[in-house]
Structure formats: C-alpha cells, structure tokens
PDB file of all heavy atoms in Angstrom:
ATOM      1  N   ASP A  19      15.376 -44.676 -16.865  1.00 96.00           N
ATOM      2  CA  ASP A  19      15.125 -44.235 -15.457  1.00 96.00           C
ATOM      3  C   ASP A  19      15.266 -45.308 -14.449  1.00 96.00           C
ATOM      4  O   ASP A  19      16.014 -45.036 -13.470  1.00 96.00           O
ATOM      5  CB  ASP A  19      13.649 -43.760 -15.400  1.00 96.00           C
ATOM      6  CG  ASP A  19      13.376 -43.115 -14.001  1.00 96.00           C
ATOM      7  OD1 ASP A  19      12.930 -43.855 -13.122  1.00 96.00           O
ATOM      8  OD2 ASP A  19      13.612 -41.920 -13.806  1.00 96.00           O
ATOM      9  N   SER A  20      14.869 -46.473 -14.656  1.00 95.00           N
ATOM     10  CA  SER A  20      14.972 -47.586 -13.700  1.00 95.00           C
ATOM     11  C   SER A  20      16.418 -48.030 -13.584  1.00 95.00           C
ATOM     12  O   SER A  20      16.878 -48.375 -12.558  1.00 95.00           O
ATOM     13  CB  SER A  20      14.094 -48.717 -14.045  1.00 95.00           C
ATOM     14  OG  SER A  20      14.543 -49.456 -15.189  1.00 95.00           O
ATOM     15  N   LEU A  21      17.172 -48.023 -14.677  1.00 96.00           N
ATOM     16  CA  LEU A  21      18.599 -48.387 -14.684  1.00 96.00           C
ATOM     17  C   LEU A  21      19.420 -47.491 -13.776  1.00 96.00           C
ATOM     18  O   LEU A  21      20.213 -47.810 -12.929  1.00 96.00           O
ATOM     19  CB  LEU A  21      19.170 -48.513 -16.135  1.00 96.00           C
ATOM     20  CG  LEU A  21      18.678 -49.594 -16.968  1.00 96.00           C
ATOM     21  CD1 LEU A  21      19.250 -49.420 -18.372  1.00 96.00           C
ATOM     22  CD2 LEU A  21      18.997 -50.957 -16.386  1.00 96.00           C
ATOM     23  N   ILE A  22      19.146 -46.131 -13.948  1.00 97.00           N
ATOM     24  CA  ILE A  22      19.830 -45.152 -13.121  1.00 97.00           C
ATOM     25  C   ILE A  22      19.491 -45.314 -11.723  1.00 97.00           C
ATOM     26  O   ILE A  22      20.395 -45.344 -10.852  1.00 97.00           O
ATOM     27  CB  ILE A  22      19.589 -43.716 -13.707  1.00 97.00           C
ATOM     28  CG1 ILE A  22      20.040 -43.561 -15.151  1.00 97.00           C
ATOM     29  CG2 ILE A  22      20.199 -42.767 -12.675  1.00 97.00           C
ATOM     30  CD1 ILE A  22      19.560 -42.326 -15.822  1.00 97.00           C
ATOM     31  N   MET A  23      18.178 -45.507 -11.409  1.00 95.00           N
ATOM     32  CA  MET A  23      17.765 -45.668 -10.082  1.00 95.00           C
ATOM     33  C   MET A  23      18.303 -46.892  -9.392  1.00 95.00           C
ATOM     34  O   MET A  23      18.482 -46.991  -8.096  1.00 95.00           O
ATOM     35  CB  MET A  23      16.265 -45.603  -9.899  1.00 95.00           C
ATOM     36  CG  MET A  23      15.720 -44.199 -10.298  1.00 95.00           C
ATOM     37  SD  MET A  23      16.386 -42.880  -9.310  1.00 95.00           S
ATOM     38  CE  MET A  23      15.833 -43.354  -7.703  1.00 95.00           C
ATOM     39  N   ALA A  24      18.695 -47.902 -10.237  1.00 94.00           N
ATOM     40  CA  ALA A  24      19.238 -49.196  -9.694  1.00 94.00           C
ATOM     41  C   ALA A  24      20.480 -48.921  -9.001  1.00 94.00           C
ATOM     42  O   ALA A  24      20.945 -49.695  -8.139  1.00 94.00           O
ATOM     43  CB  ALA A  24      19.369 -50.174 -10.792  1.00 94.00           C
ATOM     44  N   THR A  25      21.225 -47.846  -9.402  1.00 95.00           N
ATOM     45  CA  THR A  25      22.651 -47.580  -8.825  1.00 95.00           C
ATOM     46  C   THR A  25      22.495 -46.975  -7.417  1.00 95.00           C
ATOM     47  O   THR A  25      23.574 -46.620  -6.820  1.00 95.00           O
ATOM     48  CB  THR A  25      23.401 -46.708  -9.739  1.00 95.00           C
ATOM     49  OG1 THR A  25      22.806 -45.419  -9.893  1.00 95.00           O
ATOM     50  CG2 THR A  25      23.646 -47.415 -11.099  1.00 95.00           C
ATOM     51  N   CYS A  26      21.212 -46.817  -6.895  1.00 91.00           N
ATOM     52  CA  CYS A  26      21.108 -46.514  -5.481  1.00 91.00           C
ATOM     53  C   CYS A  26      21.781 -47.629  -4.581  1.00 91.00           C
ATOM     54  O   CYS A  26      22.071 -47.329  -3.486  1.00 91.00           O
ATOM     55  CB  CYS A  26      19.698 -46.208  -5.137  1.00 91.00           C
ATOM     56  SG  CYS A  26      18.984 -44.805  -5.776  1.00 91.00           S
ATOM     57  N   HIS A  27      21.762 -48.815  -5.131  1.00 77.00           N
ATOM     58  CA  HIS A  27      22.197 -49.944  -4.372  1.00 77.00           C
ATOM     59  C   HIS A  27      21.470 -50.179  -3.079  1.00 77.00           C
ATOM     60  O   HIS A  27      22.032 -50.555  -2.107  1.00 77.00           O
ATOM     61  CB  HIS A  27      23.734 -49.844  -4.109  1.00 77.00           C
ATOM     62  CG  HIS A  27      24.497 -49.607  -5.334  1.00 77.00           C
ATOM     63  ND1 HIS A  27      24.589 -50.477  -6.396  1.00 77.00           N
ATOM     64  CD2 HIS A  27      25.325 -48.616  -5.755  1.00 77.00           C
ATOM     65  CE1 HIS A  27      25.297 -50.092  -7.385  1.00 77.00           C
ATOM     66  NE2 HIS A  27      25.758 -48.906  -7.013  1.00 77.00           N
ATOM     67  N   LEU A  28      20.168 -49.902  -3.133  1.00 64.00           N
ATOM     68  CA  LEU A  28      19.292 -50.211  -1.984  1.00 64.00           C
ATOM     69  C   LEU A  28      18.398 -51.349  -2.298  1.00 64.00           C
ATOM     70  O   LEU A  28      18.301 -51.736  -3.522  1.00 64.00           O
ATOM     71  CB  LEU A  28      18.362 -49.024  -1.653  1.00 64.00           C
ATOM     72  CG  LEU A  28      19.156 -47.641  -1.457  1.00 64.00           C
ATOM     73  CD1 LEU A  28      18.117 -46.492  -1.272  1.00 64.00           C
ATOM     74  CD2 LEU A  28      19.993 -47.890  -0.151  1.00 64.00           C
ATOM     75  N   GLU A  29      17.805 -52.003  -1.384  1.00 52.00           N
ATOM     76  CA  GLU A  29      16.919 -53.050  -1.572  1.00 52.00           C
ATOM     77  C   GLU A  29      15.797 -52.882  -2.612  1.00 52.00           C
ATOM     78  O   GLU A  29      15.355 -53.735  -3.397  1.00 52.00           O
ATOM     79  CB  GLU A  29      16.360 -53.647  -0.235  1.00 52.00           C
ATOM     80  CG  GLU A  29      17.444 -54.305   0.633  1.00 52.00           C
ATOM     81  CD  GLU A  29      18.109 -55.492  -0.020  1.00 52.00           C
ATOM     82  OE1 GLU A  29      17.484 -56.244  -0.721  1.00 52.00           O
ATOM     83  OE2 GLU A  29      19.424 -55.547   0.206  1.00 52.00           O
ATOM     84  N   ASP A  30      15.316 -51.627  -2.654  1.00 45.00           N
ATOM     85  CA  ASP A  30      14.219 -51.189  -3.465  1.00 45.00           C
ATOM     86  C   ASP A  30      14.710 -51.051  -4.942  1.00 45.00           C
ATOM     87  O   ASP A  30      13.953 -51.007  -5.841  1.00 45.00           O
ATOM     88  CB  ASP A  30      13.539 -50.020  -3.017  1.00 45.00           C
ATOM     89  CG  ASP A  30      12.728 -50.225  -1.741  1.00 45.00           C
ATOM     90  OD1 ASP A  30      12.418 -51.298  -1.408  1.00 45.00           O
ATOM     91  OD2 ASP A  30      12.378 -49.250  -1.097  1.00 45.00           O
ATOM     92  N   TYR A  31      15.975 -50.897  -5.044  1.00 41.00           N
ATOM     93  CA  TYR A  31      16.573 -50.723  -6.430  1.00 41.00           C
ATOM     94  C   TYR A  31      17.720 -51.653  -6.650  1.00 41.00           C
ATOM     95  O   TYR A  31      17.372 -52.753  -7.000  1.00 41.00           O
ATOM     96  CB  TYR A  31      17.088 -49.208  -6.492  1.00 41.00           C
ATOM     97  CG  TYR A  31      16.010 -48.292  -6.363  1.00 41.00           C
ATOM     98  CD1 TYR A  31      15.969 -47.444  -5.263  1.00 41.00           C
ATOM     99  CD2 TYR A  31      15.047 -48.103  -7.380  1.00 41.00           C
ATOM    100  CE1 TYR A  31      14.846 -46.498  -5.020  1.00 41.00           C
ATOM    101  CE2 TYR A  31      14.103 -47.098  -7.275  1.00 41.00           C
ATOM    102  CZ  TYR A  31      13.938 -46.284  -6.067  1.00 41.00           C
ATOM    103  OH  TYR A  31      12.990 -45.400  -5.951  1.00 41.00           O
ATOM    104  N   GLY A  32      18.934 -51.195  -6.483  1.00 42.00           N
ATOM    105  CA  GLY A  32      20.122 -52.081  -6.863  1.00 42.00           C
ATOM    106  C   GLY A  32      20.334 -53.200  -5.889  1.00 42.00           C
ATOM    107  O   GLY A  32      20.987 -54.211  -6.273  1.00 42.00           O
ATOM    108  N   GLY A  33      19.742 -53.344  -4.746  1.00 50.00           N
ATOM    109  CA  GLY A  33      19.898 -54.429  -3.818  1.00 50.00           C
ATOM    110  C   GLY A  33      19.319 -55.793  -4.407  1.00 50.00           C
ATOM    111  O   GLY A  33      19.913 -56.780  -4.234  1.00 50.00           O
ATOM    112  N   THR A  34      18.256 -55.609  -5.072  1.00 57.00           N
ATOM    113  CA  THR A  34      17.632 -56.890  -5.611  1.00 57.00           C
ATOM    114  C   THR A  34      17.247 -56.482  -7.115  1.00 57.00           C
ATOM    115  O   THR A  34      16.034 -56.253  -7.374  1.00 57.00           O
ATOM    116  CB  THR A  34      16.441 -57.332  -4.888  1.00 57.00           C
ATOM    117  OG1 THR A  34      15.580 -56.196  -4.616  1.00 57.00           O
ATOM    118  CG2 THR A  34      16.972 -57.970  -3.522  1.00 57.00           C
ATOM    119  N   ALA A  35      18.161 -56.283  -8.022  1.00 66.00           N
ATOM    120  CA  ALA A  35      17.750 -55.931  -9.383  1.00 66.00           C
ATOM    121  C   ALA A  35      16.829 -56.918  -9.997  1.00 66.00           C
ATOM    122  O   ALA A  35      17.045 -58.121  -9.956  1.00 66.00           O
ATOM    123  CB  ALA A  35      19.112 -55.690 -10.217  1.00 66.00           C
ATOM    124  N   LYS A  36      15.811 -56.457 -10.651  1.00 76.00           N
ATOM    125  CA  LYS A  36      14.764 -57.362 -11.157  1.00 76.00           C
ATOM    126  C   LYS A  36      14.866 -57.709 -12.642  1.00 76.00           C
ATOM    127  O   LYS A  36      14.222 -58.620 -13.062  1.00 76.00           O
ATOM    128  CB  LYS A  36      13.390 -56.596 -10.914  1.00 76.00           C
ATOM    129  CG  LYS A  36      13.065 -56.341  -9.509  1.00 76.00           C
ATOM    130  CD  LYS A  36      11.705 -55.560  -9.262  1.00 76.00           C
ATOM    131  CE  LYS A  36      11.341 -55.368  -7.838  1.00 76.00           C
ATOM    132  NZ  LYS A  36      12.420 -54.705  -7.126  1.00 76.00           N
ATOM    133  N   THR A  37      15.798 -57.132 -13.380  1.00 91.00           N
ATOM    134  CA  THR A  37      15.956 -57.468 -14.768  1.00 91.00           C
ATOM    135  C   THR A  37      17.347 -57.720 -15.040  1.00 91.00           C
ATOM    136  O   THR A  37      18.249 -57.261 -14.326  1.00 91.00           O
ATOM    137  CB  THR A  37      15.418 -56.231 -15.670  1.00 91.00           C
ATOM    138  OG1 THR A  37      16.246 -55.213 -15.500  1.00 91.00           O
ATOM    139  CG2 THR A  37      14.009 -55.998 -15.326  1.00 91.00           C
ATOM    140  N   GLN A  38      17.588 -58.387 -16.106  1.00 92.00           N
ATOM    141  CA  GLN A  38      19.099 -58.704 -16.504  1.00 92.00           C
ATOM    142  C   GLN A  38      19.764 -57.324 -16.768  1.00 92.00           C
ATOM    143  O   GLN A  38      20.968 -57.217 -16.340  1.00 92.00           O
ATOM    144  CB  GLN A  38      19.013 -59.496 -17.809  1.00 92.00           C
ATOM    145  CG  GLN A  38      20.472 -59.917 -18.241  1.00 92.00           C
ATOM    146  CD  GLN A  38      21.165 -60.833 -17.351  1.00 92.00           C
ATOM    147  OE1 GLN A  38      20.929 -62.068 -17.400  1.00 92.00           O
ATOM    148  NE2 GLN A  38      22.046 -60.345 -16.566  1.00 92.00           N
ATOM    149  N   LEU A  39      19.123 -56.338 -17.432  1.00 95.00           N
ATOM    150  CA  LEU A  39      19.790 -55.128 -17.599  1.00 95.00           C
ATOM    151  C   LEU A  39      20.185 -54.412 -16.416  1.00 95.00           C
ATOM    152  O   LEU A  39      21.295 -53.865 -16.231  1.00 95.00           O
ATOM    153  CB  LEU A  39      18.844 -54.239 -18.546  1.00 95.00           C
ATOM    154  CG  LEU A  39      18.900 -54.432 -20.040  1.00 95.00           C
ATOM    155  CD1 LEU A  39      17.854 -53.478 -20.681  1.00 95.00           C
ATOM    156  CD2 LEU A  39      20.235 -54.393 -20.663  1.00 95.00           C
ATOM    157  N   SER A  40      19.252 -54.379 -15.424  1.00 94.00           N
ATOM    158  CA  SER A  40      19.494 -53.705 -14.170  1.00 94.00           C
ATOM    159  C   SER A  40      20.552 -54.388 -13.287  1.00 94.00           C
ATOM    160  O   SER A  40      21.329 -53.892 -12.672  1.00 94.00           O
ATOM    161  CB  SER A  40      18.247 -53.520 -13.326  1.00 94.00           C
ATOM    162  OG  SER A  40      17.658 -54.806 -13.025  1.00 94.00           O
ATOM    163  N   GLN A  41      20.674 -55.815 -13.480  1.00 94.00           N
ATOM    164  CA  GLN A  41      21.646 -56.505 -12.808  1.00 94.00           C
ATOM    165  C   GLN A  41      23.072 -56.041 -13.337  1.00 94.00           C
ATOM    166  O   GLN A  41      24.066 -55.870 -12.589  1.00 94.00           O
ATOM    167  CB  GLN A  41      21.506 -58.055 -12.990  1.00 94.00           C
ATOM    168  CG  GLN A  41      20.380 -58.584 -12.151  1.00 94.00           C
ATOM    169  CD  GLN A  41      20.279 -60.022 -12.295  1.00 94.00           C
ATOM    170  OE1 GLN A  41      21.017 -60.701 -13.146  1.00 94.00           O
ATOM    171  NE2 GLN A  41      19.284 -60.686 -11.670  1.00 94.00           N
ATOM    172  N   TRP A  42      23.151 -56.025 -14.719  1.00 96.00           N
ATOM    173  CA  TRP A  42      24.366 -55.637 -15.322  1.00 96.00           C
ATOM    174  C   TRP A  42      24.723 -54.186 -14.979  1.00 96.00           C
ATOM    175  O   TRP A  42      25.932 -53.815 -14.682  1.00 96.00           O
ATOM    176  CB  TRP A  42      24.240 -55.719 -16.840  1.00 96.00           C
ATOM    177  CG  TRP A  42      24.399 -57.198 -17.298  1.00 96.00           C
ATOM    178  CD1 TRP A  42      25.011 -58.260 -16.642  1.00 96.00           C
ATOM    179  CD2 TRP A  42      23.726 -57.759 -18.464  1.00 96.00           C
ATOM    180  NE1 TRP A  42      24.851 -59.291 -17.368  1.00 96.00           N
ATOM    181  CE2 TRP A  42      24.177 -59.121 -18.529  1.00 96.00           C
ATOM    182  CE3 TRP A  42      23.034 -57.219 -19.575  1.00 96.00           C
ATOM    183  CZ2 TRP A  42      23.830 -59.936 -19.506  1.00 96.00           C
ATOM    184  CZ3 TRP A  42      22.723 -58.032 -20.573  1.00 96.00           C
ATOM    185  CH2 TRP A  42      23.077 -59.475 -20.599  1.00 96.00           C
ATOM    186  N   MET A  43      23.774 -53.301 -14.958  1.00 97.00           N
ATOM    187  CA  MET A  43      23.978 -51.992 -14.553  1.00 97.00           C
ATOM    188  C   MET A  43      24.573 -51.802 -13.191  1.00 97.00           C
ATOM    189  O   MET A  43      25.567 -51.092 -12.977  1.00 97.00           O
ATOM    190  CB  MET A  43      22.677 -51.126 -14.565  1.00 97.00           C
ATOM    191  CG  MET A  43      22.734 -49.649 -14.252  1.00 97.00           C
ATOM    192  SD  MET A  43      23.441 -48.729 -15.701  1.00 97.00           S
ATOM    193  CE  MET A  43      23.337 -47.074 -15.031  1.00 97.00           C
ATOM    194  N   VAL A  44      23.956 -52.456 -12.227  1.00 96.00           N
ATOM    195  CA  VAL A  44      24.439 -52.471 -10.900  1.00 96.00           C
ATOM    196  C   VAL A  44      25.898 -53.104 -10.728  1.00 96.00           C
ATOM    197  O   VAL A  44      26.746 -52.575 -10.074  1.00 96.00           O
ATOM    198  CB  VAL A  44      23.473 -53.337  -9.979  1.00 96.00           C
ATOM    199  CG1 VAL A  44      24.116 -53.425  -8.474  1.00 96.00           C
ATOM    200  CG2 VAL A  44      22.195 -52.443  -9.765  1.00 96.00           C
TER     201      VAL A  44
END
C-alpha cells in the first residue's frame, strides 16, 4: 500500500520516500 501511494510524488509520499523500497519505487 505504501509503495503504491509513494507514486503520488508528493512530499507526504514520493517527494521524500522514507525507505529504500519506496525510493526505488518512485
């Protein structure tokens, strides 16, 4: 769920990805 939401590319999500997985996702 958090990986998909990271692709919003907003500061609360993809703008500042908090994990390595979410960084790669974005």
Side-chain angles (χ1 to χ4, degrees):
D19 181 269
S20 69
L21 290 176
I22 296 169
M23 293 306 297
T25 63
C26 290
H27 305 299
L28 303 174
E29 290 303 320
D30 290 342
Y31 297 108
T34 51
K36 296 177 175 60
T37 68
Q38 182 70 82
L39 281 179
S40 59
Q41 287 181 359
W42 285 333
M43 182 76 180
V44 170

